[in-house]
Amino acid sequence: MSRFRETFATPKPILAMLHLAGDDRAAKLAQAEEEARIMAGEGVDGLVIENYFGDAEDVERALERISGLGLATRIGVNVLRDDAQAFVLAARYPVDFIQIDSVAGHLRPEADAPFAAELAVRRAASKALLLGGVRFKYKPVLSGRPEAEDVAIGARRCDALVVTSTKTGEPTDLDKVARFRAATGGTVPLLIGAGLTEANAAEQMAVADGAIVGSWFKRGHRDTGAVEADHVARLMRAIRSVRLAA
């Protein structure tokens, strides 16, 4: 866990999503800056800039703006449907980590080998941490391998594994986290990738090493809402209590 711990010295780091919502590019950028300031101000440990509502150009514009704000938080990137562009942006801007929704299990064997080779080359050339999913929400399972084998392979391809259940906002299955821990032998950190709330934070963080949070920080706790400071503050208070009790 050394590279992960070097980047995130605080126990149980919380990484917050910037989904880049807004009616046009200017609105997306303005909302991203506002939400970044709110979440960094409430003490999140990292910001994940993702084209959930935007596109790769919006991600780059947000990276340029937010990396210049001097916020006391790590910056990450997830370019959905274009992993290669995430590495390009990580080389161009001060990006601390890259998230890829699936690093193993989602491809048929004939496609997995070239994917793995390309990922290894990109990862070797990058200073950024790689956070990767296995059996991630909405991703197909096409490998033909048992879950434990996909998890072990995924662990070798990244610096931390992100674990989710089946959909956005759904609490992550703790039995699944336990299976991932067993399959990796504790060799990589495991991050909750969906469904963390202040109500379940203690239970979830008892078995995981951190989390990525999106919808819960937003109005109505829905992905379509705007980030609300009170939601961020409440969850971060719960996380600080977990850290003190550890």
Side-chain angles (χ1 to χ4, degrees):
M1 295 190 183
S2 59
R3 286 199 69 212
F4 185 84
R5 296 300 182 216
E6 288 170 5
T7 300
F8 298 105
T10 302
K12 313 292 184 181
I14 300 299
L15 315 181
M17 300 299 302
L18 289 171
H19 283 150
L20 305 186
D23 293 333
D24 55 33
R25 293 202 189 279
K28 291 178 190 296
L29 189 60
Q31 183 168 332
E33 178 175 342
E34 180 181 3
E35 293 183 343
R37 289 185 183 279
I38 289 170
M39 295 190 289
E42 295 294 346
V44 302
D45 303 283
L47 298 168
V48 188
I49 302 173
E50 179 186 88
N51 55 324
Y52 189 93
F53 291 114
D55 58 25
E57 184 177 340
D58 292 314
V59 172
E60 180 162 12
R61 286 161 59 88
L63 268 173
E64 183 176 18
R65 172 71 64 85
I66 290 165
S67 64
L69 296 178
L71 302 176
T73 186
R74 299 291 188 176
I75 296 176
V77 63
N78 184 3
V79 183
L80 300 172
R81 300 171 295 278
D82 194 346
D83 299 342
Q85 185 62 14
F87 283 93
V88 169
L89 294 177
R92 191 175 295 163
Y93 297 93
V95 169
D96 299 292
F97 62 97
I98 296 166
Q99 182 188 354
I100 294 179
D101 283 358
S102 185
V103 293
H106 64 293
L107 297 172
R108 299 186 188 281
E110 61 271 19
D112 184 64
F115 168 83
E118 291 174 9
L119 182 63
V121 170
R122 291 174 184 141
R123 188 182 176 202
S126 178
K127 296 180 180 179
L129 291 179
L130 180 58
L131 317 181
V134 176
R135 307 291 172 105
F136 199 80
K137 58 184 178 180
Y138 306 118
K139 289 293 183 179
V141 179
L142 301 174
S143 66
R145 297 184 292 250
E147 178 187 84
E149 187 175 349
D150 277 340
V151 172
I153 290 170
R156 294 194 292 271
R157 293 178 180 177
C158 57
D159 299 292
L161 286 175
V162 184
V163 191
T164 71
S165 288
T166 60
K167 60 185 179 180
T168 296
E170 182 178 89
T172 299
D173 180 359
L174 297 185
D175 288 340
K176 187 176 183 181
V177 178
R179 295 197 306 272
F180 276 40
R181 186 78 72 189
T184 63
T187 57
V188 297
L190 301 181
L191 306 180
I192 296 296
L196 187 74
T197 73
E198 63 260 36
N200 68 21
E203 181 183 31
Q204 298 262 313
M205 290 299 96
V207 298
D209 301 298
I212 299 173
V213 182
S215 300
W216 191 258
F217 284 156
K218 297 186 171 192
R219 185 176 300 120
H221 305 303
R222 298 179 63 86
D223 55 1
T224 53
V227 168
E228 294 196 347
D230 180 60
H231 292 179
V232 186
R234 283 160 43 198
L235 179 55
M236 293 310 297
R237 280 198 298 270
I239 292 297
R240 284 191 285 272
S241 295
V242 169
R243 291 168 178 164
L244 288 172

